[in-house]
Amino acid sequence: MSVVGCRQLAVGYGAGPVVVGLDLEVARGEVVALLGPNGAGKTTTLMALAGALTPDEGIVTWQGEATTAPLHRRARQGLGVVLEERAVTPSLTVRQNLRIGGVDPLAALADFPELTEHLDRRAGLLSGGQQQLLTLARVLARRPVALLADELSLGLAPQVVARLLGAIRAAADDGLAVLLVEQHVRAALRVADRAVVLSRGRVRWSGPAAQARADPALVEQSYLT
Ligand code: ATP
């Protein structure tokens, strides 16, 4: 059953919809990669699913039912959101970043042993990849039912991207529903079950990730601006 999704969604910023006629469903245990060139409407879609933007048309669904709950209420219902900007507080330690997130530091880092040794380091002194791992550890520690992740691996080295996406895949294998917006198209398709490719706010392709991976033209188009 769909955990988070939308039906015939149209959404934008007041000057006409940026995304039109979008049907999307993400089920328990599934990673769906939302791909497409810059400006295609990926972030806008994610913001609407998170409850941060109000649809012009159509509905957003949560656990199969229409919802208009704002972001903070959806968070309490089990929706985890990681937005594009780095979410850690640089001047606080790793431990403090986890505590202000309301989670137990040691439990949060159980699956992220590479951060345990840095518990008392200021987050701003960690590498970009470690900071993103910390962001992910903190959101996963709240045991969300669904995760919306926007460009978690922006600007990171391939090995770090693989580590982050691997952690997301592992969480999905434990039942999490994941909608992944990624510029690292090939890396995203390696961990995704399905892909939805947007172009100018409309779905131009959707299907199994393995099929998308085997289609170089589609992968190239997902990068084009
Ligand atoms: P990117 O990878 O560049 O983030 P994207 O696929 O996530 O691309 P969106 O960020 O959803 O695309 O942007 C889709 C369109 O909406 C673009 O034309 C963009 O200029 C416009 N847009 C995005 N944010 C706003 C905003 N806050 N106000 C007005 N227009 C916006």
Side-chain angles (χ1 to χ4, degrees), residues 13 18 37-44 84 151 183:
Y13 302 90
V18 164
N38 288 329
K42 305 180 297 292
T43 298
T44 304
E84 219 166 324
E151 306 279 12
Q183 279 294 334

Side-chain angles (χ1 to χ4, degrees), residues 167-222:
I168 285 181
R169 179 68 254 177
D173 290 340
D174 281 343
L176 186 69
V178 182
L179 184 63
L180 194 62
V181 169
E182 263 300 327
Q183 279 294 334
H184 294 96
V185 174
R186 289 186 181 84
L189 289 174
R190 276 196 286 273
V191 301
D193 299 290
R194 292 191 292 121
V196 174
V197 181
L198 288 185
S199 174
R200 296 169 196 238
R202 293 174 187 272
V203 174
R204 60 165 297 135
W205 190 90
S206 76
Q211 199 176 325
R213 257 197 325 263
D215 186 342
L218 186 77
V219 171
E220 285 309 315
Q221 279 165 12
S222 304

Side-chain angles (χ1 to χ4, degrees), residues 1-20:
M1 191 193 71
S2 167
V3 177
V4 64
C6 58
R7 287 184 218 136
Q8 287 300 301
L9 177 73
V11 63
Y13 302 90
V18 164
V19 170
V20 186

Side-chain angles (χ1 to χ4, degrees), residues 104-119:
D104 174 60
L106 289 176
L109 297 187
D111 293 329
F112 300 90
E114 63 266 68
L115 291 180
T116 313
E117 61 187 290
H118 299 304
L119 263 173

Side-chain angles (χ1 to χ4, degrees), residues 89-99 105-106 109 114-126 134:
T89 306
S91 59
L92 298 182
T93 65
V94 168
R95 189 190 304 275
Q96 289 166 333
N97 266 282
L98 291 165
R99 282 209 184 119
L106 289 176
L109 297 187
E114 63 266 68
L115 291 180
T116 313
E117 61 187 290
H118 299 304
L119 263 173
D120 293 308
R121 242 183 143 200
R122 281 200 282 133
L125 297 175
L126 301 178
L134 174 56

